[in-house]
Amino acid sequence: MSTTTTTTIETVSKPNIGVFTNPEHKLWIEESTPNLDSVKKGKGEDLPEGYVTVAIKSTGICGSDIHFWHAGAIGPMVVTDNHILGHESAGVVLATHPSVKDLQPGDRVAIEPGLICNNCEPCLTGRYNGCEKMQFLSTPPVDGLLRRYVNHPATWCHKIGDMSYENGALLEPLSVALAGMERSGVTLGDSVLICGAGPIGLITLLCCQAAGACPIVITDVDEGRLQYAARLCPRAKTYKVNTSLQPPDCANEIIHAANGVKPAIALECTGVESSVANAIYSVKFGGKVFVIGVGKPNMTLPFMRLSTQEIDLQFQYRYCNTWPRAIRLVQDGVIDMKQLVTHRFDIEDAVKAFETAGDVKSGAIKVQIQSEVDT
């Protein structure tokens, strides 16, 4: 087989740079791989079989990126060396290995960031998010996508047609919400509680609206985010969490906000212990609390409330088989996420972008880092 690649006519002139953090919680930009000469030449030996080179155009900053920077770890996933962040990305294909038949230079793609083994039971049964040898880009020690150029398996580069790169980068958090919708079983007419009005909570709100859930109540501790949620979905009820209340009392206020209707399903998008407890006390007998958010390693939860009310408590880890559906929903206008991107920065200003995303006073919902992009 030939080892040459097909290269695009797009001009590639800027060096590859990445956004790094380390165990000392520093954040900086420096040159990264693949290097510029490799990208410009498109040499076959620089691309493994089945791989393509992608110029990254838009990357969203996820809460996990902020957490790896500030805390250096999420549970057992620990930053132990210089580490590149970012896993919400879209871009354009620059070069392809000859074995790749479904992509060509110039194709716009969204990148699914998990690399799987295809051999373990979760992979073979279609639940590849549980791959026993998962390499998820941006989760230590696997470097992320916040770079100008990356080499990535073509299988996990999803064509997005003429969709904007900005929307393409939002397909990753949309995939998180879609996985939650599917596994929680939200259907037409279900009463739903959404805990947390951050990016995942807001995208989950859009999904519940599209699915016909009613009534919908969304909660947060920040009034500004609740106002944002109300603009995004005017028929949703909002509730600002009173942190001085105990979960049973907070639940009563949530139910009151829903005009007395107890939620059948609570989609918990914060991972905060008190918020999970609020959800457990809010749902009806036989209801479900579905936790999408990431929390601390150990929590204290109201066990007997779960037991005596026959409440199902379920959890989610990333997503699988969601990207084609996510692309269709955005392309057909069923889910419109354009309002979610509040701040945009050039990759050279990535440090400022992270400072903005990590500052609750900035009013940021979704911050994107972009490189010579047409939105």
Side-chain angles (χ1 to χ4, degrees), residues 74 115 124 149 152 179 191 239 288 361 374:
I74 298 176
L115 308 182
L124 294 176
Y149 318 111
H152 200 70
S191 52
Y239 172 70
K288 178 182 291 187
K361 297 179 181 178
D374 56 316

Side-chain angles (χ1 to χ4, degrees), residues 51 56 59 62 64-65 68 77 83-89 111-116 134-147 149-153 156-157 172 318-319:
Y51 271 65
I56 301 296
T59 300
C62 177
S64 65
D65 295 317
F68 282 130
M77 298 166 283
H83 178 66
I84 300 175
L85 298 164
H87 58 266
E88 304 177 3
S89 297
I111 299 178
E112 186 167 352
L115 308 182
I116 64 174
M134 170 69 77
Q135 294 184 320
F136 194 89
L137 276 67
S138 82
T139 296
V142 184
D143 281 334
L145 293 169
L146 258 172
R147 293 176 261 179
Y149 318 111
V150 298
N151 295 331
H152 200 70
W156 305 113
C157 294
E172 199 278 344
R318 297 175 180 150
Y319 42 75

Side-chain angles (χ1 to χ4, degrees), residues 274-295:
S274 59
S275 183
V276 176
N278 290 343
I280 291 170
Y281 277 100
S282 296
V283 297
K284 69 180 185 179
F285 182 90
K288 178 182 291 187
V289 175
F290 190 87
V291 182
I292 299 173
V294 176

Side-chain angles (χ1 to χ4, degrees), residues 59-61 166 228 338-346 352-357 359-370:
T59 300
I61 297 177
E166 192 164 279
Y228 205 93
K338 289 193 294 291
Q339 297 180 61
L340 296 176
V341 180
T342 55
H343 295 74
R344 300 165 181 85
F345 293 87
D346 293 334
K352 186 176 180 182
F354 269 79
E355 291 170 347
T356 301
D359 181 5
V360 294
K361 297 179 181 178
S362 71
I365 299 295
K366 177 57 71 175
V367 176
Q368 284 199 358
I369 294 172
Q370 303 177 338

Side-chain angles (χ1 to χ4, degrees), residues 36-80:
L36 178 59
D37 287 342
S38 171
V39 173
K40 289 176 71 174
K41 294 176 182 176
K43 290 184 177 179
E45 58 264 28
D46 292 330
L47 281 178
E49 184 173 350
Y51 271 65
V52 299
T53 300
V54 179
I56 301 296
K57 298 296 187 180
S58 287
T59 300
I61 297 177
C62 177
S64 65
D65 295 317
I66 300 294
H67 211 75
F68 282 130
W69 169 33
H70 283 169
I74 298 176
M77 298 166 283
V78 181
V79 177
T80 59

Side-chain angles (χ1 to χ4, degrees), residues 6-36:
T6 306
T7 56
T8 181
I9 58 173
E10 179 165 323
T11 301
V12 176
S13 59
K14 292 189 176 182
N16 198 6
I17 54 176
V19 182
F20 290 78
T21 190
N22 65 11
E24 288 73 46
H25 313 296
K26 295 179 180 178
L27 190 72
W28 74 97
I29 300 167
E30 69 175 42
E31 288 199 21
S32 179
T33 58
N35 63 45
L36 178 59

Side-chain angles (χ1 to χ4, degrees), residues 20-288:
F20 290 78
T21 190
N22 65 11
E24 288 73 46
H25 313 296
K26 295 179 180 178
L27 190 72
W28 74 97
I29 300 167
E30 69 175 42
E31 288 199 21
S32 179
T33 58
N35 63 45
L36 178 59
D37 287 342
S38 171
V39 173
K40 289 176 71 174
K41 294 176 182 176
K43 290 184 177 179
E45 58 264 28
D46 292 330
L47 281 178
E49 184 173 350
Y51 271 65
V52 299
T53 300
V54 179
I56 301 296
K57 298 296 187 180
S58 287
T59 300
I61 297 177
C62 177
S64 65
D65 295 317
I66 300 294
H67 211 75
F68 282 130
W69 169 33
H70 283 169
I74 298 176
M77 298 166 283
V78 181
V79 177
T80 59
D81 203 346
N82 293 350
H83 178 66
I84 300 175
L85 298 164
H87 58 266
E88 304 177 3
S89 297
V92 60
V93 175
L94 295 179
T96 65
H97 187 274
S99 61
V100 175
K101 304 302 181 184
D102 295 331
L103 290 174
Q104 60 186 6
D107 284 340
R108 300 161 78 100
V109 295
I111 299 178
E112 186 167 352
L115 308 182
I116 64 174
C117 73
N118 281 308
N119 289 314
C120 66
E121 181 178 343
C123 285
L124 294 176
T125 56
R127 298 183 66 182
Y128 60 80
N129 54 316
C131 174
E132 296 168 3
K133 297 180 180 178
M134 170 69 77
Q135 294 184 320
F136 194 89
L137 276 67
S138 82
T139 296
V142 184
D143 281 334
L145 293 169
L146 258 172
R147 293 176 261 179
R148 275 207 179 98
Y149 318 111
V150 298
N151 295 331
H152 200 70
T155 299
W156 305 113
C157 294
H158 301 277
K159 288 183 183 180
I160 59 173
D162 61 357
M163 183 188 300
S164 70
Y165 295 119
E166 192 164 279
N167 272 341
L170 287 167
L171 294 172
E172 199 278 344
L174 176 56
S175 284
V176 173
L178 290 180
M181 294 291 290
E182 181 177 3
R183 292 195 61 233
S184 66
V186 174
T187 58
L188 188 69
D190 279 341
S191 52
V192 171
L193 166 65
I194 300 168
C195 300
I200 296 298
L202 292 173
I203 295 176
T204 299
L205 173 63
L206 291 174
C207 290
C208 287
Q209 176 180 238
C214 65
I216 303 171
V217 176
I218 184 165
T219 70
D220 205 280
V221 296
D222 184 274
E223 182 63 34
R225 290 202 164 190
L226 291 175
Q227 291 175 4
Y228 205 93
R231 293 194 296 271
L232 204 61
C233 177
R235 68 178 179 86
K237 314 293 185 182
T238 62
Y239 172 70
K240 184 179 179 182
V241 176
N242 185 341
T243 56
S244 67
L245 294 180
Q246 292 298 308
D249 298 322
C250 201
N252 287 335
E253 295 197 349
I254 289 170
I255 294 166
H256 178 74
N259 297 321
V261 179
K262 292 184 177 181
I265 300 171
L267 297 166
E268 209 299 312
C269 301
T270 73
V272 175
E273 182 177 303
S274 59
S275 183
V276 176
N278 290 343
I280 291 170
Y281 277 100
S282 296
V283 297
K284 69 180 185 179
F285 182 90
K288 178 182 291 187

